[in-house]
Amino acid sequence: MNRVRPIRSEPAPPAEPPALQARAMDNLRFIRETMERAGAFTAISGWATVIVGVTALAAAVLAGRTPDGERWFAVWLGEALLAFCVASWAMLRKARNAGVPLLSGSGQKFILSFLPPLVAGALFTGVLLRVGLPALLPGLWLLLYGAAVVSAGTFSVRIVPAMGICFVALGAVASFAPATWGSALMAVGFGVLHIAFGILIARRHGG
């Protein structure tokens, strides 16, 4: 009579060494961060850009009816602050909805490239106001804003630096145009260009 032998269970596979798991996680983290740095920054809101353009047109109309230089400057300063708030809120919202970290990778490079020309513009604005040359402000603002968009746009989609080049060209015109053209050229730049490019960005890059 054959003897019944108990079935021996196979030994369980050895647990993955903790060091190997840590290396795998480090590799995945490195790959993710590399992709974030290499990717284009797409959190710019096209519809927010359109809104900024509309408010700039309203500011241009209001500033054009204001003969006083201080009030003209106050109108455009208020418009700049409003535009900054609208664009920042929309950018944060779009980045959050897309699950894209705003302050890392291409987003960080975009912001760091965008800010220096704006800071330079703010400083030169104070200088021109102090020496009594406010007529030069439209050209200065359009040029340096365009430079900021071109510089930051190298980390974004192609249409962004294209918009910046248009601002630079318009700023060059404003720098040599009669002072009475200031509000009109500002309306074309901060109003019409923002609306036109905002619609293109919204249609091509998800709002």
Side-chain angles (χ1 to χ4, degrees), residues 65 81 93 95-96 103-104 106 114 119 124-126 136 144-145 161 169 176 198:
R65 296 176 179 177
L81 294 175
R93 183 173 180 270
R96 184 172 62 250
L103 297 178
S104 65
S106 57
F114 188 76
V119 173
F124 274 102
T125 295
L136 299 180
L144 289 181
Y145 179 75
F176 296 96

Side-chain angles (χ1 to χ4, degrees), residues 95-118:
R96 184 172 62 250
N97 291 341
V100 177
L102 188 62
L103 297 178
S104 65
S106 57
Q108 184 181 48
K109 293 178 180 179
F110 181 93
I111 295 172
L112 291 178
S113 299
F114 188 76
L115 289 179
L118 296 188

Side-chain angles (χ1 to χ4, degrees), residues 123-137 140:
L123 293 175
F124 274 102
T125 295
V127 172
L128 292 179
L129 291 175
R130 187 180 63 182
V131 299
L133 295 174
L136 299 180
L137 289 177
L140 174 74

